[in-house]
Amino acid sequence: MRTIGTVVRGVRAPIIREGDNIAEVAAASVMEAWKEAGIEPRDRDVVAVTESVVARAQGNYATLDQIAKDVREKTGGGTVGVAFPILSRNRFSLLLRGMAMGCKKIVLLLSYPSDEVGNGLVDWDKLDAAGVDPYSDVLTLAQFREKFGAAVHPFTGVDYIDFYSGIIKNAGAEVEVLFGNRVQTLCGCTDAVITCDIHTRARSKRLLKAAGAKVVLGLDDLLNRSVNGSGYNAEYGLLGSNKATEETVKLFPRDCMAVAEELGERLSKASGKHIEAMVYGDGAFKDPVGKIWELADPVVSPGYTKGLVGTPNELKLKYLADNDFGDLEGEALKAAIEERIREKTDESLVGNMVSEGTTPRRLTDLIGSLCDLTSGSGDKGTPIVYIQGYFDNYSND
């Protein structure tokens, strides 16, 4: 039997610049990798390119002045509530600075004991010892400091309370900091709120509107159109953006379905095989030690070819081995399991005991997470990932 299953390779590429055809560059890099590594393309191989270089090729950037202008025009530029930002120098510090440049005062509502993606402000044990209930209690800055003191991030060494307060003040705005987990709290301070949560933003907007807020925005409502020539993202706005320079942010890329389709078509034509393609961002996984959930992008994959739609429909081999074929061993066991897999149809196995324990997640989320772990975010220089055998099973020779 074939002993190698799924193979994942990071593929190096030239440094991408604005104006590059990212599908062309990525396809050429993969074709060069085929030659260099002696890779034989096969049907349903997957090529993936990170959203970062897609956005760079598109020139999808915005300045702080452009963010400030959008905030000022959409909120009125007075006192603005800013709810539930994640604690990140890369992801949020410049966005906060742009917001502060566009208004007179920010009432900053920080969720606790951690932000949405798991960056902690205070330990649960300390909350319990202080008799504080994060589900109902709203704390002022003075109350938080009195009970818990400094809130230094264990990885970065940054006290984000001081850091974010300083950003707002240095931008020329006043700041008031509150701690709570009910977004409606801000309705007692202002009638204009920007809720900065990523995956719970629809609920936060609904609650704010029900509580009487007159202006309710999410990050997806800012830079969702070009402002003075800026980049933009009609669907996600500032969600998924990253720090580019001290004065600019790189936005989440646009038109990613078209990018994936062009990339897949180029490689399929060159190989004579059917190659799937996708654009990927953050993977969807949680660090069990640091408690940080990786997914700070609005989605794992903003663009993919049709063959990557759906969820895995797999049998659990250990269930078959321990139950249906518990009396078999060796070649007889192998043959029985292979035959059961070949008998599998496209009918969903959800709810069937023989599939229990397989991962019930979308293929794009699973493959995108695999790609993110492979390429990393540092200096590996592999913004393209090439995957073979992902759709193989135990019965494939």
Side-chain angles (χ1 to χ4, degrees), residues 224-264:
N224 56 356
R225 55 172 176 76
S226 182
V227 176
N228 286 355
S230 73
Y232 67 95
N233 190 303
E235 184 174 5
Y236 297 120
L238 287 174
L239 287 172
S241 59
N242 286 275
K243 180 178 180 179
T245 71
E246 294 300 324
E247 298 293 329
T248 60
V249 297
K250 177 182 60 60
L251 306 178
F252 212 49
R254 306 186 301 266
D255 306 320
C256 290
M257 296 297 277
V259 172
E261 288 166 1
E262 181 183 347
L263 177 55

Side-chain angles (χ1 to χ4, degrees), residues 4-193:
I4 302 296
T6 303
V7 177
V8 186
R9 297 176 174 92
V11 178
R12 291 180 178 175
I15 301 300
I16 305 299
R17 292 298 187 190
E18 182 176 348
D20 289 345
N21 182 325
I22 187 61
E24 180 180 357
V25 174
S29 299
V30 169
M31 286 187 276
E32 184 62 29
W34 286 344
K35 296 176 185 178
E36 179 185 315
I39 299 169
E40 188 67 33
R42 300 198 295 264
D43 284 329
R44 299 207 78 187
D45 285 357
V46 180
V47 61
V49 59
T50 179
E51 59 83 19
S52 178
V53 296
V54 177
R56 190 184 305 153
Q58 293 174 343
N60 206 21
Y61 294 85
T63 67
L64 296 184
D65 286 336
Q66 289 163 339
I67 293 173
K69 178 178 173 60
D70 209 24
V71 168
R72 190 179 304 111
E73 290 180 349
K74 290 177 177 176
T75 65
T79 298
V80 177
V82 174
F84 305 154
I86 63 172
L87 307 178
S88 171
R89 292 169 294 179
N90 174 46
R91 288 285 190 172
F92 193 75
S93 64
L94 260 65
L95 304 188
L96 181 60
R97 186 172 152 205
M99 292 175 194
M101 290 166 57
C103 61
K104 295 179 179 178
K105 177 180 178 179
I106 283 182
V107 182
L108 185 65
L109 178 63
L110 298 176
S111 58
Y112 75 99
S114 68
D115 70 7
E116 181 180 4
V117 297
N119 293 293
L121 281 176
V122 59
D123 294 332
W124 275 99
D125 290 341
K126 291 183 178 180
L127 288 181
D128 294 339
V132 173
D133 183 353
Y135 300 107
S136 60
D137 294 345
V138 177
L139 305 177
T140 64
L141 177 58
Q143 290 170 328
F144 185 93
R145 291 300 196 196
E146 180 184 358
K147 293 177 182 296
F148 307 117
V152 178
H153 194 285
F155 293 160
T156 65
V158 174
D159 184 319
Y160 277 95
I161 303 169
D162 284 345
F163 180 53
Y164 279 1
S165 296
I167 287 174
I168 296 168
K169 292 175 184 176
N170 290 337
E174 298 177 53
V175 60
E176 177 182 352
V177 182
L178 299 174
F179 302 83
N181 292 298
R182 298 181 72 253
V183 73
Q184 307 96 308
T185 298
L186 288 173
C187 292
C189 308
T190 176
D191 59 7
V193 179

